Amino acid sequence: MTSIDPFRIDIPQADLDDLRDRLGRTRWPDELPGVGWSYGVPTSYARELAEYWRTTYDWRAQEAALNAYPQFTTEIDRQTVHFMHVRSPEPDALPLIITHGWPGSIAEFMKVIGPLTDPRAHGGDPADAFHVVAPSLPGFGFSGPTRETGWNLRRVARAWAELMRRLGYDRYGAQGSDTGALVSPELGRVAPGEVAGVHVNGALGFPSFEPGETEGLTEAERARLALYTDHDRSGYAMIQSTRPQTLAFGLHDSPAGQLAWIAEKFKEWTDPARDLPEDAVDRDQLLTDVSIYWFTGTAGSSARLYKEGATDWGQPVDKSDVPTGVAVFPGDPGIRRVAEREHHVIHWSEFGRGGHFAAMEAPDLLVADVRAFFRLVR
């Protein structure tokens, strides 16, 4: 099957009522006094955020905002793939496939799609325009759940190459964050003749280091190097890469559990200068992201991507010849000499504000950097 079918998000009212009912009946855990976030999400914080989700947050308004963008589904390699496809009004725009990560979704891109597709309307140069394709990763959101094993990064990249072929794009760029920062370079390896360039923010991989290789690093680079081995930050990945099915029981049944599991990452990965997740990202946009996981029941299938790809972590790959740009935001690892081992880096930027969820935290900086990089390869 190669058909591309229109898609519209329409969560049944019964599911919204069920969410509010479950949130109202949450059995809250105790917490130790005075430990803050060091043991995980404080119950006091989770209760307040859950109450906002239950009584104030407006899913229907967010659903309408998402539906303002054209969406579609198609089947690739026996898997449903959902995607936004927003064409630019500029006829010479460069196609660009943008890929989210975990715990992200297409909701991440709500502040960047407009400036990317229609720079003229956002104070930019129309020569920087893109036709944006924003898929949901297999197993995530409206592309989920996955129905078989084997959906690792390379298989996703092959699916993206097929998606762009079906859309009639024979030359395009790729941009990604988090998991998308791994999928997008892989797409360049899978389809080097079609991918004009790859731009990423977030980590480019899980490198190992040879003796002496880290000598001469700057203070900022040494701080980023420590992030690669910070077990407090990687505990979630160890669980998702080993026992995603066991984890799924709690997250699939408890919206408070799903909320806390994702909110913790927004606390840890957003701009270190911000105290709380909602100080870094819009609270409603965060809850839209959580809601997509909840309403689609994809906590478990999204976690399976870690299980499928764990054997590749830290393994060397052939160096890509595709031009690559990297944007490093506060709190993210990023060392140029490490990136250059496996990527043809021609553009490198470091920023003093924003964080891991740059499309939500600092969309202006991310859009400007994407534009600057692709000017080099259009």
Side-chain angles (χ1 to χ4, degrees):
M1 176 191 289
T2 60
S3 65
I4 294 175
D5 302 311
F7 179 84
R8 185 174 179 82
I9 303 170
D10 186 15
I11 300 301
Q13 184 61 42
D15 290 357
L16 273 68
D17 296 340
D18 176 69
L19 169 61
R20 294 189 181 101
D21 178 65
R22 287 171 181 264
L23 287 170
R25 294 187 295 107
T26 300
R27 190 174 73 156
W28 296 102
D30 71 322
E31 60 183 333
L32 292 171
V35 298
W37 287 76
S38 63
Y39 279 62
V41 180
T43 297
S44 54
Y45 176 81
R47 291 189 76 151
E48 192 277 330
L49 187 57
E51 184 64 9
Y52 179 87
W53 194 16
R54 187 180 75 87
T55 63
T56 306
Y57 170 78
D58 186 350
W59 165 259
R60 291 300 186 204
Q62 300 299 315
E63 184 180 67
L66 291 167
N67 282 330
Y69 297 111
Q71 296 172 63
F72 305 87
T73 59
T74 190
E75 186 172 304
I76 301 176
D77 196 4
R78 302 179 299 279
Q79 176 64 35
T80 296
V81 173
H82 160 266
F83 60 99
M84 290 179 170
H85 184 198
V86 188
R87 289 187 59 84
S88 172
E90 308 297 338
D92 296 328
L94 177 69
L96 179 69
I97 183 167
I98 57 177
T99 307
H100 66 82
W102 184 92
S105 68
I106 56 166
E108 282 186 54
F109 303 133
M110 297 298 286
K111 295 179 179 179
V112 300
I113 291 176
L116 289 174
T117 57
D118 194 2
R120 188 192 302 267
H122 292 82
D125 184 344
D128 288 326
F130 299 94
H131 300 306
V132 169
V133 179
S136 299
L137 284 165
F140 289 64
F142 304 104
S143 287
T146 44
R147 297 189 288 267
E148 60 186 22
T149 60
W151 276 100
N152 58 16
L153 299 176
R154 189 166 187 82
R155 189 171 176 182
V156 174
R158 290 198 302 264
W160 279 193
E162 171 62 16
L163 174 61
M164 297 302 274
R165 186 194 68 78
R166 288 186 192 180
L167 294 174
Y169 295 137
D170 56 11
R171 185 175 186 272
Y172 51 88
Q175 200 285 328
S177 60
D178 191 83
T179 305
L182 305 177
V183 170
S184 298
E186 193 63 24
L187 177 56
R189 294 186 177 91
V190 167
E194 289 76 42
V195 177
V198 172
H199 181 279
V200 302
N201 59 288
L204 266 168
F206 306 91
S208 56
F209 297 93
E210 300 296 330
E213 191 175 23
T214 59
E215 292 180 5
L217 293 179
T218 66
E219 183 176 346
E221 287 174 329
R222 288 193 176 279
R224 293 186 207 131
L225 177 64
L227 297 175
Y228 285 112
T229 57
D230 185 345
H231 297 301
D232 276 355
R233 288 172 61 96
S234 62
Y236 80 98
M238 297 301 102
I239 296 173
Q240 296 196 157
S241 64
T242 56
R243 295 296 182 268
Q245 186 64 30
T246 305
L247 174 68
F249 287 99
L251 303 188
H252 188 83
D253 188 59
S254 168
Q258 179 69 91
L259 176 64
W261 191 243
I262 291 178
E264 181 187 84
K265 298 303 112 187
F266 276 84
K267 162 64 176 176
E268 293 187 344
W269 297 349
T270 49
D271 192 330
R274 307 295 183 179
D275 290 333
L276 294 173
E278 60 265 37
D279 296 333
V281 302
D282 178 80
R283 178 182 270 198
D284 285 353
Q285 192 177 17
L286 166 59
L287 288 172
T288 299
D289 184 63
V290 178
S291 296
I292 288 173
Y293 281 84
W294 175 258
F295 289 133
T296 59
T298 50
S301 62
S302 62
R304 288 198 287 265
L305 183 62
Y306 285 73
K307 176 76 169 176
E308 301 290 354
T311 56
D312 297 328
W313 293 358
Q315 298 302 309
V317 297
D318 293 337
K319 184 171 182 175
S320 172
D321 292 326
V322 175
T324 300
V326 181
V328 182
F329 289 87
D332 267 338
I335 302 171
R336 183 162 188 164
R337 71 173 68 171
V338 174
E340 288 176 339
R341 287 192 212 152
E342 299 175 350
H343 309 274
H344 176 39
V345 178
I346 66 168
H347 172 90
W348 186 274
S349 299
E350 299 181 9
F351 296 98
R353 65 175 171 89
H356 190 72
F357 301 95
M360 301 171 72
E361 297 180 70
D364 57 330
L365 297 181
L366 180 62
V367 167
D369 203 65
V370 170
R371 290 172 177 170
F373 166 71
F374 280 102
R375 286 181 200 132
L376 304 175
V377 299
R378 281 180 182 264

